[in-house]
Amino acid sequence: MVAHTAADSASGYLYQCRYALFAALERSAREPGLMVRVEVFDDVSFDVDGTPRELIQTKHSRKASPMTDLSPQVWNTIGIWTKRVIDHPEELGRTALTLVSTASVPNESGLAFLRPPGMGRDADKAHGFLLQAAATSKNKDVAWATTLFLDQGPEVQLQILEMITVLDASPNIVDVADRIRERLRYTTRDNLGALIERLEGWWFNRLAGSLKTGKGATVAVTDIDAKVHSLQESFQPTRLPIDHATELPMGEVTAKLERRPFVEQLRLIAIGPTGIEAAVIDYFRAGRQRSRWMREHLLDREELSNFRDKLLERWRRKWGIVESKLVRKPSEDEMIGLGQDLYEKICDECVPIREVSEPFLTQGSYHILADSGKIGWHPTYKKKMQEARRTAKDDTDAALG
Amino acid sequence: MSIVTGASKTGKSSLIDIIDFCMGGSECHVADGVIRRFVSWYGVLFDRGDTGIFVARRNPPPGQSRSPDIYLETGDKLASPDFDKLTKNITVDALEAFLTSALGISENLHSVPEGQTRQPLSANVRHALLFSLQDQDEIDSRRVLFHRQSEPFMPQAIKDVLPYFLGAIDEERLRRQSELDNARRELRKLEKREAQRDAVESLSLSRTNDIYREAQAAGLVGSGPVPPIEQALAVLRAVGPAVDEGISEPDVQQPLGQLRAERRRIRAQLAQVREEIRQAREIEEAAGGFMDEVHEQAARLLPIGLLPNSPSEPHSCALCGSELHESIPSAEEIRSTLEEVGGQLEKVRREVPRLQNLQVDLIQRQAAIEAALRENQRQIDDLVAKEGQFRSEQDARLRRARTAGRIAYFLETLPANEDDTNRDGALDALRKKIGALAELLDPDEVRDRLASIVNVIGAYMSEYSDRLDLEHSGSNLRLDIRTLAVVADTIDGPVPLNRMGSGENWVGYHVLAHLSLHKWFRQKRRPVPAFLIFDQPSQAHYPPERDSNGDVSILQDADREAVYKLFKLIADVAAELSPGFQIIVIDHADLKDPWFSGAVVERWRGEALVPPAWIS
Amino acid sequence: MLPWGDRPLEEASLFNPVFCALLLRATVKEHRAAAKTPLSFPLAFLVLPFALHEKTRLALPASARTMMTSWLVDHPELVAGFGERARRMADTTREAIQFGCHYSLLRIEGAGLDVGKRTVKPEPANLAENTEEARACYAAARLLGKWLASGGTVPTVMSLWGVSP
């Protein structure tokens, strides 16, 4: 039983974060599409569009003692990976599982035979060693892992081991900093130290929040790249004449969507593509969810109308305020502002149906109502929607004619 | 022979101490007593035949042994000066030098063999005197042959000077010796300089090698092993100062800035494309789920198509026929709902493939952007590498310039070696000269001469010994210079003096040795005082406590005979070597024979050195 | 019941009286074929909560040879909420019956419900546009018709389903 001290876990955590940064920097040049994910428990993973490419377990040891086939760390890791492979059989043989440890592993051990190719890798031999280690392990803390591993068929065991690469005697927490420095040396020549310091600061910040909540953090490797370059530029004595105008999202996705009244309603109050995209998703998801519940008979038919009435009631109250402001004859811009205020308030709402309270359900249901014209955002939405419908109809007629 | 005979404690033995003191002794060894108390000056008159030398020294004050006051007088007449004339007119050192020169001791130096640390010793009067005195404790010693031999360092000094006094080393040899010494000094100097030069040279060589390699590393000279030093130096001299090739720094910063700006743009594009892919995928997914639901809804509405529009609304209940208080939906209403649902379905059905196409499009675009990003990275890397290359080239240039500077400095500070051949010649000549001198000064030659001399003296000793009844009389006697002892070569092997028994032998051999030595000294006119003083040679047979007015008739026949023979030998040798030689015998024996009594110069019976009148 | 136009679209579509009437008709038709009698009126209220309930449908046997009673005994979890669901669906059932009768898909025959005189071609259950689920609903309704034909007296069946008339 290894008692983990606070210093151990702190250095382990720092190591994990630093290693993730280092690994991300290393991979960013080769595969800009990667996302790096840092989990709470020693995990660093890389994925492309949600498909994991590489899972890394980092083990930082402040002691020089070697890591053996019987080390609890090893079996915890193998156990986690075995479980993962069982849960995600599609990853079998696809995802690279990397165990990074600052400790070294003894030669002629299962772990040693899992070193990268060219360093004596022999998964078959490793299999034999690790089977024996699993069978002889008496550590109760990792019994779940050894048992799980032993429960798999030999083919699966071997497949898992084939996926595993052990990088022992890896750079430790200090060395990793040097490696990062080395890695970035070619990016910038000046102020390297200050740059790395700020990059790490930014990186730890980026991870800290997500890790505190226990959810892990996902960052695109190009974000790191971008940060490096922005830091580097901030250190330059004179900024180069570069067009810093940020490009607006092209809204290509929303452009592919059908003209739906609720979308038109949003356009009336100048909601941008991102807002529209979110609204569309909410609309679809809410529509699907409501229908599904109905079909599965999880909701009684009056519950949906009761829910709708609740939403209408809330909207109506806010609408009353909007109307009261119309007596001042606001300009179109002001009216758009009013509509946006209303929409913003509605977006903050989350009305439960049965005990379920999901924002998308509330928002989507509002959009369903807006789609039917029962509610709207722009103070003159009724008139404007009618005009729009007429225009659309004329267009259709013209097209038919 | 001059005999001073008399009773004990009459100052007989002090004569030797007085002579020693007056011949330049640093200390007065005259024993405390009457003499020291009542004498103010000690004086000795030396007879050199044609001239006389008078030396007087003031008796040191009581309790002291030194006195700086010396009076020296030389002159034709041999007479002691008046007391009131005595005054200090010479120092001890000057007296020593005077006497040394007066004795005829020439410039001489006993050169110390290599590897020994003692100072070279120059023989002087003090050394010469060692062979002329035998006090009563020395004359019967089994261990000590010469005067003061028992004092520290004296045996070595005696050994060192003996060859000179014996004449084994001639003046020519001494001249050569000093020449050899000078040559050796010179050689040492040259060799030292040579060694320094060699050191400098080997240093120069290694420095040359170093700098040559450095020049190779800087690309200033060709690769390969370092050639011999002269050649290497020639190559280095040809290098000359580095010329700035004037390569201008490639403008990297500006294109790099552009590339980085481009990179930022590409990255923004990538982020946007990725976001759009995410959006499209999310919407597609949501839309798909929505579509399925709408499809279900439509499916349930679909059978309305099987029904005609009702001509009339139902108003009565089908079950009870009563008025319906709620209207049931009409087929038309339901049909319009179906239309609505169908419209939605249609919209989503159109959207989904569009979104899918968009995704394909976006993913292709993403790949292109990623490729552009990689290409951009490659270009940045290239530029950075180019800059790095320039820097390393610049470094190399700087290194070359630095190296050229170092080469120039090295050549400037290279020690000149203009007199190479000259130097070697001088060294060789000197070595040859030294070799020649050393050959001339062959120590074997000295040894041979010495051996020959010692043989002659040994022969004298053997001859004289016949006239005494000694243990090894008749044996071959010799003086062993190595041990400073008399050795009898018997058929049982050599017997040194200390292994011979009885005091009569010891005294006898001391007398024999000194007589023989002085015979040689006189024959060869060696610069040793031409006198010999024996104190109490009779003591082995006629000890002082048996003294009876010097009458030896009280002795047994053998002892009386021995004493007689000893004195007779001394008298004979003195006669043999005279004129120009004096043997002073101090003894209480007083033989009645005319050759003895005729030689007595003082008979202190009731009288003494210090006249009783002085004491009272 | 809300007027048609006020109903949320999902509610209106999924529980629309045409579909519900057709499900009732399917049950009644099977019942008539098997029992040669109209479906006892109270039993009509079992059709929609039975056929429209996804979990129930998924638990149904492949053939009608499985006895309803034994199936009911095997699935207490489905029976548990059935009574309440049937009560909530009563209005929908009533509307479906009214609609069905008005359009002659169903007719009242004494104390029972019988098939109306309208012939529907093709048979709604065989519509090409039907979804799997729609088909499953018709199938469930038909199965229930068979089951009810041999299920025993009305009070027995009602009590087995946990429904009070």
Side-chain angles (χ1 to χ4, degrees):
Chain A
M1 180 77 200
V2 179
H4 285 280
T5 64
D8 276 332
S9 62
S11 65
Y13 167 67
L14 274 175
Y15 182 64
Q16 174 198 3
C17 292
R18 242 188 197 161
Y19 192 87
L21 178 59
F22 164 64
L25 283 168
E26 278 230 305
R27 287 155 179 78
S28 67
R30 268 184 280 133
E31 206 165 1
L34 278 179
M35 307 288 281
V36 56
R37 184 166 175 80
V38 180
E39 297 280 4
V40 193
F41 299 108
D42 304 341
D43 258 341
V44 175
S45 65
F46 288 96
D47 61 59
V48 173
D49 300 332
T51 309
R53 284 285 170 84
E54 186 178 4
L55 302 179
I56 302 172
Q57 287 261 323
T58 59
K59 305 290 176 200
H60 187 262
S61 164
R62 294 187 305 154
K63 293 180 219 94
S65 54
M67 189 166 75
T68 70
D69 290 356
L70 286 166
S71 295
Q73 293 183 328
V74 171
W75 280 103
N76 268 326
T77 302
I78 294 179
I80 288 166
W81 283 341
T82 305
K83 191 168 179 327
R84 172 153 189 126
V85 168
I86 294 167
D87 292 347
H88 302 268
E90 74 279 3
E91 292 177 9
L92 200 64
R94 285 217 181 126
T95 310
L97 306 172
T98 309
L99 175 59
V100 174
S101 175
T102 56
S104 55
V105 306
N107 286 331
E108 285 298 314
S109 69
L111 295 175
F113 287 118
L114 289 178
R115 284 175 180 154
M119 292 176 65
R121 184 180 179 83
D122 189 332
D124 282 325
K125 281 190 185 167
H127 188 207
F129 273 103
L130 288 171
L131 275 183
Q132 203 191 341
T136 54
S137 172
K138 298 207 165 48
N139 192 321
K140 288 196 181 93
D141 292 329
V142 295
W144 69 273
T146 50
T147 312
L148 184 67
F149 186 73
L150 290 172
D151 281 350
Q152 308 309 311
E155 293 289 311
V156 174
Q157 289 169 346
L158 193 59
Q159 275 278 313
I160 291 169
L161 295 182
E162 294 271 19
M163 292 159 73
I164 295 178
T165 303
V166 172
L167 298 177
D168 67 321
S170 289
N172 64 28
I173 191 159
V174 180
D175 299 338
V176 169
D178 288 347
R179 292 285 197 87
I180 291 173
R181 171 177 284 269
E182 207 171 287
R183 175 77 220 154
L184 290 177
R185 209 184 46 211
Y186 291 104
T187 321
T188 175
R189 204 172 61 239
D190 311 311
N191 306 308
L192 187 55
L195 186 144
I196 290 174
E197 204 171 283
R198 293 198 200 172
L199 178 68
E200 283 204 326
W202 166 81
W203 174 249
F204 287 136
N205 244 335
R206 191 85 198 255
L207 300 186
S210 334
L211 289 173
K212 200 163 65 192
T213 60
K215 280 183 182 160
T218 304
V219 181
V221 293
T222 45
D223 279 6
I224 300 171
D225 194 35
K227 188 67 194 176
V228 169
H229 283 78
S230 83
L231 280 172
Q232 184 229 337
E233 264 155 28
S234 74
F235 284 126
Q236 294 224 319
T238 49
R239 279 182 166 249
L240 295 161
I242 297 165
D243 180 16
H244 275 279
T246 48
E247 291 94 327
L248 279 166
M250 287 182 285
E252 258 187 287
V253 179
T254 46
K256 301 290 180 193
L257 297 176
E258 286 293 313
R259 295 176 76 86
R260 286 192 174 77
F262 82 93
V263 173
E264 296 306 311
Q265 294 247 36
L266 291 172
R267 289 197 206 281
L268 288 181
I269 54 166
I271 299 296
T274 310
I276 287 175
E277 184 248 340
V280 169
I281 290 170
D282 285 349
Y283 170 84
F284 282 145
R285 291 176 68 187
R288 171 171 179 261
Q289 192 62 70
R290 286 154 53 118
S291 169
R292 194 171 175 80
W293 280 337
M294 280 270 142
R295 273 196 306 115
E296 289 173 6
H297 225 137
L298 296 169
L299 281 181
D300 292 320
R301 50 184 305 172
E302 67 270 20
E303 277 178 295
L304 206 52
S305 40
N306 289 346
F307 177 66
R308 177 198 59 189
D309 292 346
K310 240 187 271 178
L311 297 185
L312 277 174
E313 175 56 24
R314 282 167 187 253
W315 174 83
R316 214 171 277 123
R317 271 189 222 150
K318 295 179 180 80
W319 182 251
I321 297 164
V322 173
E323 273 184 336
S324 71
K325 287 177 179 166
L326 290 178
V327 291
R328 275 183 255 151
K329 305 268 181 231
S331 67
E332 177 58 24
D333 280 353
E334 285 168 332
M335 285 204 282
I336 288 172
L338 287 172
Q340 285 178 345
D341 288 348
L342 171 64
Y343 183 60
E344 192 187 336
K345 285 189 190 112
I346 291 295
C347 281
D348 286 340
E349 291 204 345
C350 188
V351 182
I353 179 166
R354 287 242 178 132
E355 274 81 38
V356 182
S357 80
E358 286 278 355
F360 81 84
L361 201 62
T362 308
Q363 301 313 314
S365 297
Y366 272 121
H367 289 307
I368 289 167
L369 287 171
D371 203 45
S372 68
K374 286 195 174 69
I375 64 164
W377 318 113
H378 193 277
T380 61
Y381 78 93
K382 276 186 181 143
K383 204 174 102 202
K384 283 180 183 288
M385 290 301 286
Q386 268 170 10
E387 279 169 15
R389 215 169 297 141
R390 204 171 305 131
T391 316
K393 193 163 179 292
D394 289 350
D395 288 350
T396 316
D397 292 348
L400 290 172
Chain B
M1 179 166 76
S2 307
I3 298 169
V4 177
T5 181
S8 296
K9 304 206 188 281
T10 52
K12 294 193 302 293
S13 293
S14 295
L15 290 174
I16 290 181
D17 294 324
I18 289 164
I19 291 167
D20 184 60
F21 188 46
C22 287
M23 286 185 77
S26 56
E27 287 182 36
C28 174
H29 294 294
V30 177
D32 285 348
V34 174
I35 302 172
R36 291 294 300 269
R37 272 193 286 149
F38 298 104
V39 170
S40 38
W41 288 76
Y42 306 109
V44 176
L45 183 64
F46 297 100
D47 179 6
R48 297 187 67 212
D50 49 348
T51 55
I53 299 170
F54 177 78
V55 179
R57 294 191 71 168
R58 191 192 288 279
N59 184 24
Q64 293 184 25
S65 61
R66 287 164 199 268
S67 157
D69 294 354
I70 303 170
Y71 176 75
L72 173 75
E73 188 183 312
T74 61
D76 302 339
K77 15 185 214 59
L78 210 61
S80 294
D82 293 340
F83 174 75
D84 49 8
K85 282 185 75 179
L86 298 182
T87 176
K88 177 182 176 179
N89 68 354
I90 193 166
T91 62
V92 178
D93 290 344
L95 174 68
E96 187 189 300
F98 172 80
L99 292 176
T100 301
S101 155
L103 261 180
I105 295 175
S106 59
E107 226 15 77
N108 74 83
L109 192 73
H110 176 84
S111 54
V112 177
E114 309 248 344
Q116 295 190 12
T117 52
R118 63 205 154 89
Q119 290 294 315
L121 184 66
S122 180
N124 59 31
V125 65
R126 300 299 303 161
H127 299 111
L129 195 56
L130 296 171
F131 306 106
S132 292
L133 303 176
Q134 284 280 292
D135 68 28
Q136 59 180 343
D137 298 326
E138 289 159 352
I139 200 164
D140 70 338
S141 169
R142 67 192 297 183
R143 306 194 183 283
V144 176
L145 183 59
F146 294 100
H147 184 56
R148 293 174 62 196
Q149 191 181 331
S150 58
E151 292 176 27
F153 307 116
M154 285 312 284
Q156 187 59 53
I158 294 167
K159 284 181 216 170
D160 285 349
V161 298
L162 198 50
Y164 168 74
F165 285 118
L166 287 173
I169 301 165
D170 60 15
E171 313 305 313
E172 182 66 11
R173 184 182 170 81
L174 280 171
R175 205 174 48 71
R176 283 192 205 122
Q177 180 69 52
S178 92
E179 215 165 297
L180 178 62
D181 289 347
N182 280 339
R184 278 188 176 143
R185 255 196 306 280
E186 178 71 8
L187 182 64
R188 268 198 297 277
K189 218 156 70 188
L190 281 181
E191 279 176 342
K192 199 167 160 191
R193 217 156 61 200
E194 177 79 353
Q196 280 170 346
R197 215 187 288 261
D198 281 352
V200 166
E201 220 162 66
S202 79
L203 189 68
S204 300
L205 182 66
S206 81
R207 276 185 64 203
T208 306
N209 283 347
D210 287 351
I211 206 123
Y212 194 87
R213 292 215 180 81
E214 194 178 327
Q216 283 180 327
L220 288 169
V221 307
S223 56
V226 181
I229 183 159
E230 288 307 327
Q231 212 177 318
L233 286 174
V235 171
L236 287 175
R237 284 195 183 96
V239 166
V243 192
D244 191 352
E245 291 145 58
I247 297 172
S248 58
E249 179 166 1
D251 184 11
V252 166
Q253 288 310 317
Q254 207 209 329
L256 211 51
Q258 283 170 355
L259 280 171
R260 282 176 180 145
E262 194 184 317
R263 182 169 188 77
R264 198 173 45 249
R265 228 172 4 250
I266 298 170
R267 231 177 10 245
Q269 286 172 8
L270 182 64
Q272 192 182 327
V273 165
R274 192 183 287 133
E275 173 62 12
E276 285 192 60
I277 291 172
R278 188 193 62 75
Q279 285 181 3
R281 182 171 296 134
E282 202 165 275
I283 294 180
E284 187 214 324
E285 208 176 81
F290 179 75
M291 186 168 73
D292 292 345
E293 284 304 323
V294 176
H295 193 225
E296 292 294 345
Q297 292 168 20
R300 293 192 185 185
L301 289 165
L302 216 54
I304 198 67
L306 303 171
L307 298 181
N309 279 345
S310 165
S312 61
E313 289 286 308
H315 295 297
S316 57
C317 176
L319 298 170
C320 56
S322 63
E323 187 78 10
L324 280 170
H325 41 84
E326 270 178 1
S327 65
I328 59 165
S330 68
E332 286 81 0
E333 282 178 315
I334 295 172
R335 239 187 286 280
S336 84
T337 298
L338 175 60
E339 253 174 58
E340 195 185 330
V341 171
Q344 280 196 354
L345 192 60
E346 206 42 48
K347 279 179 185 167
V348 189
R349 276 193 178 135
R350 278 200 298 269
E351 279 169 342
V352 170
R354 260 187 248 153
L355 287 168
Q356 285 167 343
N357 285 339
L358 178 62
Q359 282 176 58
V360 171
D361 188 33
L362 286 171
I363 284 167
Q364 279 169 355
R365 226 181 300 164
Q366 183 183 19
I369 291 169
E370 284 180 9
L373 207 54
R374 272 192 292 269
E375 170 62 14
N376 174 275
Q377 180 70 57
R378 191 191 61 72
Q379 288 177 339
I380 287 177
D381 286 351
D382 278 359
L383 275 179
V384 170
K386 201 162 135 198
E387 196 191 22
Q389 193 191 347
F390 165 74
R391 273 187 205 287
S392 68
E393 271 171 19
Q394 198 180 41
D395 285 351
R397 257 198 319 282
L398 277 174
R399 203 165 56 240
R400 273 202 294 281
R402 222 170 14 238
T403 307
R406 285 167 54 79
I407 289 171
Y409 177 77
F410 165 75
L411 291 172
E412 268 169 35
T413 57
L414 199 64
N417 45 355
E418 66 289 336
D419 56 349
D420 266 5
T421 48
N422 217 351
R423 180 190 56 185
D424 284 348
L427 211 58
D428 267 2
L430 197 54
R431 284 205 179 105
K432 273 181 191 144
K433 182 178 170 186
I434 287 169
L437 283 171
E439 210 173 300
L440 286 174
L441 287 169
D442 185 3
D444 289 347
E445 191 197 324
V446 175
R447 230 180 353 259
D448 291 349
R449 273 173 179 248
L450 204 52
S452 137
I453 292 166
V454 168
N455 279 344
V456 172
I457 293 168
Y460 292 163
M461 283 166 69
S462 304
E463 183 195 328
Y464 290 146
S465 71
D466 285 346
R467 296 153 69 174
L468 299 175
D469 286 324
L470 296 176
E471 195 178 339
H472 296 284
S473 292
S475 302
N476 274 326
L477 297 176
R478 61 181 162 90
L479 197 59
D480 188 339
I481 298 207
R482 211 165 37 82
T483 59
L484 296 180
V486 174
V487 176
D489 285 318
T490 70
I491 50 170
D492 300 321
V495 181
L497 182 63
N498 59 6
R499 276 171 45 200
M500 296 177 194
S502 88
E504 65 175 311
N505 284 320
W506 302 334
V507 173
Y509 285 114
H510 273 81
V511 171
L512 282 177
H514 281 83
L515 290 175
S516 304
L517 266 175
H518 278 266
K519 182 174 177 175
W520 176 260
F521 288 153
R522 285 310 95 213
Q523 282 174 342
K524 291 292 171 185
R525 301 185 179 281
R526 296 306 302 161
V528 177
F531 64 80
L532 186 55
I533 303 179
F534 293 126
D535 188 5
Q536 306 265 17
S538 72
Q539 59 181 299
H541 304 282
Y542 187 50
E545 56 277 14
R546 298 185 64 183
D547 177 28
S548 166
N549 279 325
D551 188 1
V552 294
S553 57
I554 58 157
L555 297 176
Q556 289 172 353
D557 289 350
D559 282 328
R560 198 171 57 243
E561 182 77 358
V563 170
Y564 177 85
K565 282 184 176 169
L566 189 60
F567 281 122
K568 189 72 174 87
L569 175 65
I570 293 169
D572 289 349
V573 172
E576 181 189 346
L577 299 183
S578 64
F581 184 68
Q582 180 185 25
I583 297 176
I584 298 170
V585 178
I586 300 163
D587 210 308
H588 47 264
D590 196 353
L591 305 187
K592 304 297 179 219
D593 305 85
W595 54 267
F596 187 94
S597 55
V600 171
V601 291
E602 294 284 344
R603 187 172 283 112
W604 292 336
R605 299 271 172 196
E607 289 179 55
L609 179 62
V610 176
W614 293 9
I615 301 167
S616 56
Chain C
M1 295 290 280
L2 285 173
W4 182 258
D6 287 347
R7 294 180 193 175
L9 190 65
E10 299 89 341
E11 179 196 329
S13 305
L14 293 172
F15 300 116
N16 76 73
V18 182
F19 186 58
C20 294
L22 285 170
L23 291 177
L24 283 168
R25 182 170 173 272
T27 305
V28 169
K29 202 174 171 184
E30 285 301 322
H31 186 268
R32 163 146 292 283
K36 315 290 183 204
T37 58
L39 181 69
S40 178
F41 201 70
L43 295 181
F45 287 84
L46 299 180
V47 176
L48 296 183
F50 180 83
L52 290 177
H53 192 244
E54 192 179 31
K55 275 189 185 155
T56 303
R57 283 199 306 269
L58 290 173
L60 290 178
S63 85
R65 269 179 297 218
T66 304
M67 299 291 289
M68 182 176 73
T69 46
S70 55
W71 183 86
L72 283 171
V73 171
D74 284 347
H75 296 87
E77 77 283 358
L78 293 171
V79 177
F82 190 86
E84 176 62 16
R85 205 158 58 239
R87 202 180 54 72
R88 287 173 192 263
M89 290 295 279
D91 280 350
T92 309
T93 304
R94 238 175 250 118
E95 185 184 73
I97 292 170
Q98 297 285 6
F99 187 90
C101 290
H102 186 72
Y103 287 95
S104 303
L105 293 169
L106 298 168
R107 66 183 170 95
I108 307 291
E109 184 67 45
L113 203 57
D114 211 341
V115 183
K117 66 174 189 288
R118 181 179 296 276
T119 52
V120 187
K121 286 228 170 125
E123 187 57 34
N126 298 333
L127 275 175
E129 297 89 341
N130 272 343
T131 61
E132 281 299 315
E133 187 182 270
R135 264 188 261 278
C137 289
Y138 287 122
R142 282 201 299 274
L143 175 68
L144 188 65
K146 285 185 186 125
W147 269 356
L148 292 177
S150 58
T153 63
V154 173
T156 311
V157 172
M158 296 293 269
S159 68
L160 275 172
W161 280 101
V163 181
S164 49

